[in-house]
Amino acid sequence: MAVTSLFDPSGIAVVGASETPGKIGYEAMRNAVKFDGPVYPVNPSAEGTAFDREFVSSVTDIEDDAVDLALLCVPATVVPDVVEECGEAGIGGAVVFAGGFAEAGEAGVRLQR
């Protein structure tokens, strides 16, 4: 992974994007749309748009191969699956916005590893 995926991405996918103010997926989208490049809201249970962008159900459904950063706003238990999907989609960088890892006990420690 090149550091540019994190600090100078070509495109961003916000996984767990939301239209509900106060949710981390909403806040991440609100900030990401200020980016000067493509931004995709990703949420398998959402329909319509978020910040005037069509929801997609998975990062693997994004047809634009310019996405190289994913902001993960999902529960810790699904982070490993989403990271795997990001790899399948060729997304080289991810930032995880989730609690429930080591601070949550032994199960969280195992998940974090």
Side-chain angles (χ1 to χ4, degrees):
M1 174 187 83
V3 174
T4 56
S5 294
L6 294 172
F7 297 107
D8 189 21
S10 299
I12 299 173
V14 180
V15 184
S18 174
E19 292 186 278
T20 306
K23 287 191 158 198
I24 190 67
Y26 175 88
E27 299 302 326
M29 268 304 291
R30 185 168 63 96
N31 289 316
V33 296
K34 296 175 185 174
F35 171 70
D36 187 26
V39 176
Y40 298 90
V42 180
N43 191 324
S45 60
E47 295 180 351
T49 63
F51 294 88
D52 297 323
R53 289 159 174 85
E54 287 288 326
F55 277 106
V56 295
S57 61
S58 170
V59 293
T60 59
D61 294 335
I62 298 172
E63 294 182 19
D64 184 358
D65 63 355
V67 173
D68 50 6
L69 175 63
L71 305 179
L72 308 186
C73 306
V74 296
T77 55
V78 299
V79 166
D81 292 334
V82 174
V83 168
E84 187 172 325
E85 286 180 5
C86 287
E88 291 170 11
I91 298 172
V95 177
V96 178
F97 298 97
F101 290 102
E103 79 283 358
E106 189 58 37
V109 170
R110 285 190 301 276
L111 186 59
Q112 183 170 311
R113 281 191 205 130

